[in-house]
Amino acid sequence: MATITKAPPRGASRQGGAARRVLGVCGGLVLLALALFASVMFGSRTTSFGDVVDVLSGTADAQLTAVVESRYPRTALGALAGLALAVAGTLMQGVTRNPLAEPGLLGINAGASASIVTATAFWGASGSTAAMWWALPGALLAGVLVQAIGSTRSGRSQVRLVLAGAVLSAVLMAFIQAVTLTKPQVFDSYRYWVVGALGGRDVDVFWSMVPFAGAGLLLALVLGHSLNALALGDATAASLGANPWVVRGGGLLAATLLSASATAAVGPIAFVGLAVPHVVRAVVGVDFRWQIAFACIAGPALLLIADVVGRVVMRPQELMVGVVTAFVGAPALLVAVRRMRGNA
């Protein structure tokens, strides 16, 4: 005899989704706490779990305290940069409806880099605050150009957006190489910055990044509900009271503020903004309010873990965090391409 299986009640499905989100956020917070602790424990000098606990409790000697506390700026900067890149990637994938959208792939990082190199070479700009201000116009212009080139009369093509980002990044990188090779003093500072690293930055870099990243994050949180409407299509979004052009422009501006501030502070670290949004959607679903909130947890955790791996894997030397994230992000890019299934 055939049996009929009843579908679960809609309320039970919602409760299951909410429970999964809560569990995911709790797990992310635990992972972030472990990443923060590991970031202040591992370094050029070996310190144990107990040493860090003693420093945090105020019972360690002055020398050990100085060693552990010297890692605080690096940890704080890594957490903020990871947050900025993850939220920027989440916004860009939401605004463009493209699972490959990421500040590095869409030329924003290259635009920020070219702007900083230009300011350093021709106007003598120096210092972390100056880098922040100069990174923003280049990143914004690059984002606008990629959106314009990748658009068609019927909308935005996923393949065209990625190709436009690749072409613009190649052009900007050629310009950067031309400038740095003809100006040795610019190349000397650029070659360390371009790989993407958290080491060698002091607390001033963190504080100079806070206003720009904070403004971008605040705008992202405001746009969360409108991005949900935009995901349903332009016509549906307009009927729900959201202006598609305003939402896209605001999302691009927020992503630019976040990614440009991170790029200026720690260099062009790729793939964080690509990998984290896919993890976020798998955990919390399609609601952008939850995605942005969870990206604020998953992004810092990923970047700090990558930085710790870079410190440990080649002791006593150190592997730049940008190299480590490339190993993580490259498989994520391949998975995202396979999931597109020809929806170009």
Side-chain angles (χ1 to χ4, degrees), residues 108 111-113 115-116 130-140 256 259-261 263-264:
I108 290 181
S113 302
S115 187
I116 292 174
M132 295 294 171
W133 284 108
W134 280 108
L136 292 175
L140 181 60
T256 299
S259 58
S261 62
T263 300

Side-chain angles (χ1 to χ4, degrees), residues 16 19 67 83 122 157 177 214 217 312 329 336:
V67 170
L83 180 153
F122 299 106
S157 167
Q177 290 180 0
L217 178 59
V312 173

Side-chain angles (χ1 to χ4, degrees), residues 185-335:
Q185 71 279 8
V186 178
F187 175 76
D188 190 51
S189 60
Y190 175 75
R191 64 192 178 100
Y192 292 106
W193 173 81
V194 70
V195 180
L198 301 179
R201 273 75 170 177
D202 56 26
V203 70
D204 292 338
V205 178
F206 170 81
W207 288 116
S208 63
M209 181 182 171
V210 167
F212 300 98
L217 178 59
L218 180 62
L219 182 56
L221 293 173
V222 171
L223 290 172
H225 180 73
S226 298
L227 287 171
N228 287 336
L230 187 66
L232 301 175
D234 287 7
T236 303
S239 66
L240 294 174
N243 187 321
W245 288 101
V246 172
V247 175
R248 287 196 180 94
L252 177 61
L253 177 59
T256 299
L257 287 169
L258 290 163
S259 58
S261 62
T263 300
V266 301
I269 296 177
F271 291 116
V272 174
L274 172 66
V276 172
H278 290 273
V279 176
V280 166
R281 282 193 295 273
V283 174
V284 300
V286 298
D287 191 332
F288 277 97
R289 293 169 295 184
W290 278 92
Q291 286 187 31
I292 293 170
F294 192 63
C296 294
I297 301 172
L302 173 62
L303 192 59
L304 288 175
I305 290 172
D307 187 43
V308 171
V309 170
R311 296 185 226 175
V312 173
V313 72
M314 293 184 62
R315 274 187 170 180
Q317 285 78 27
E318 183 175 313
L319 190 64
M320 299 293 190
V321 68
V323 178
V324 180
T325 58
F327 281 105
V328 176
L333 176 60
L334 294 176
V335 172

Side-chain angles (χ1 to χ4, degrees), residues 14-213:
R14 290 179 179 176
Q15 290 177 358
R20 185 184 63 181
R21 289 171 177 172
V22 172
L23 288 175
V25 170
C26 291
L29 289 172
V30 172
L31 183 62
L32 177 57
L34 293 175
L36 290 168
F37 192 91
S39 183
V40 299
M41 185 171 70
F42 293 101
S44 57
R45 172 179 167 176
T46 303
T47 53
S48 65
F49 179 88
D51 292 335
V52 177
V53 172
D54 290 341
V55 172
L56 295 176
S57 62
T59 59
D61 59 67
Q63 184 178 6
L64 180 60
T65 300
V67 170
V68 173
E69 288 183 349
S70 67
R71 298 168 186 163
Y72 289 172
R74 179 174 186 161
T75 301
L77 183 61
L80 184 58
L83 180 153
L85 293 171
V87 175
T90 301
L91 287 173
M92 296 193 72
Q93 291 185 17
V95 168
T96 63
R97 302 177 198 167
N98 185 348
L100 299 181
E102 187 257 349
L105 291 177
L106 296 190
I108 290 181
N109 286 350
S113 302
S115 187
I116 292 174
V117 168
T118 301
T120 304
F122 299 106
W123 292 287
S126 61
S128 56
T129 303
M132 295 294 171
W133 284 108
W134 280 108
L136 292 175
L140 181 60
L141 181 60
V144 171
L145 286 175
V146 169
Q147 292 292 319
I149 297 172
S151 298
T152 63
R153 291 183 179 180
S154 58
R156 290 173 174 79
S157 167
Q158 294 180 358
V159 172
R160 284 187 59 156
L161 278 173
V162 175
L163 290 177
V167 170
L168 183 61
S169 295
V171 172
L172 292 176
M173 292 308 297
F175 167 76
I176 290 171
Q177 290 180 0
V179 172
T180 54
L181 290 177
T182 56
K183 294 184 178 293
Q185 71 279 8
V186 178
F187 175 76
D188 190 51
S189 60
Y190 175 75
R191 64 192 178 100
Y192 292 106
W193 173 81
V194 70
V195 180
L198 301 179
R201 273 75 170 177
D202 56 26
V203 70
D204 292 338
V205 178
F206 170 81
W207 288 116
S208 63
M209 181 182 171
V210 167
F212 300 98

